[in-house]
Amino acid sequence: MNDPGFFQSLLTSVLMSVIAENFVFARAFGVTPMIAAAKNKRNLPGVCAGVSYFTAAASIAMWGVSQLPFAADRDRHYLVAFYALIVGGVYLVTLLCAFLFVKNKFPKIKKYVHISAFNSAVMGTIFLSASGCETFGEYLLFGLTAGLGFTAASYMLSGVYAQLYSEDVPRAFRGYPAVMIFSGIMAMAVYGILGHAPAYI
């Protein structure tokens, strides 16, 4: 237990588990924040815009990190920590800029920044883009399309949200289970329509 290698392996396993969880939910369009957005259609545009911003900004930041010498070996476990650091950095810079330049709207912007920054869609986008993107254009395109995909899925979910929580749905599946099933079916349908994924996914 006192072996430093044990704690290093434990930390690596924890970080990899977090990324893996976010990777799975990214394939389902980032379910957690999507549910929060679908509950209140008035908040939906703000959440979708926030997630789209973070997926694009985080992908661009990941491209910058990928140009550094230590990032050449993508099998290094410590790169996982940089995924979280990138999101945290973009989050802090965004809050600082909002506070400095739009103080009057900061309380409203802050709400969307919090719910948009640390979620499966953003972390999953970084993980996926770092796994396959090479050029700046690929990173940027991947970040933008991830945000657009989240937006499309959120609006689709908002259209059926009330039905998934209605009494017509059996009690065992009503609410969150029905949302998860619906999101999974949407993910499979979109993947089936595409037929294949681009090389950088």
Side-chain angles (χ1 to χ4, degrees):
M1 289 291 291
N2 295 325
D3 181 14
F6 169 79
F7 291 103
Q8 182 179 358
S9 299
L10 179 63
L11 177 61
T12 299
S13 298
V14 169
L15 291 173
M16 288 298 291
S17 298
V18 171
I19 295 298
E21 181 270 339
N22 281 295
F23 170 78
V24 171
F25 278 88
R27 287 291 191 182
F29 303 114
V31 172
T32 305
M34 187 170 65
I35 294 172
K39 284 181 182 178
N40 188 341
K41 291 186 179 180
R42 221 165 39 171
N43 293 333
L44 189 56
V47 174
C48 291
V51 171
S52 298
Y53 160 77
F54 274 102
T55 55
S59 291
I60 293 172
M62 190 62 225
W63 170 80
V65 170
S66 71
Q67 305 305 302
L68 300 176
F70 68 84
D73 185 1
R74 298 187 179 188
D75 293 329
R76 296 285 180 88
H77 294 302
Y78 60 73
L79 286 178
V80 176
F82 279 90
Y83 303 157
L85 290 175
I86 286 171
V87 176
V90 174
Y91 169 77
L92 292 175
V93 169
T94 301
L95 282 181
L96 180 61
C97 290
F99 179 76
L100 292 176
F101 300 113
V102 283
K103 278 189 177 181
N104 56 328
K105 295 184 179 180
F106 180 72
K108 184 176 181 180
I109 293 174
K110 181 173 66 173
K111 176 179 70 173
Y112 293 115
V113 170
H114 291 331
I115 196 173
S116 300
F118 301 101
N119 65 67
S120 54
V122 176
M123 288 295 290
T125 297
I126 293 179
F127 179 68
L128 291 170
S129 64
S131 301
C133 294
E134 299 290 343
T135 66
F136 175 79
E138 288 180 349
Y139 276 96
L140 178 60
L141 179 62
F142 190 86
L144 292 174
T145 53
L148 290 174
F150 175 87
T151 300
S154 296
Y155 274 95
M156 282 190 283
L157 177 59
S158 69
V160 298
Y161 187 83
Q163 286 82 356
L164 297 177
Y165 279 79
S166 72
E167 293 185 358
D168 295 331
V169 179
R171 186 185 297 270
F173 294 99
R174 188 180 307 157
Y176 192 76
V179 171
M180 295 294 291
I181 293 170
F182 177 78
S183 301
I185 292 172
M186 281 200 307
M188 289 188 292
V190 171
Y191 193 80
I193 291 170
L194 290 176
H196 67 281
Y200 53 81
I201 293 181

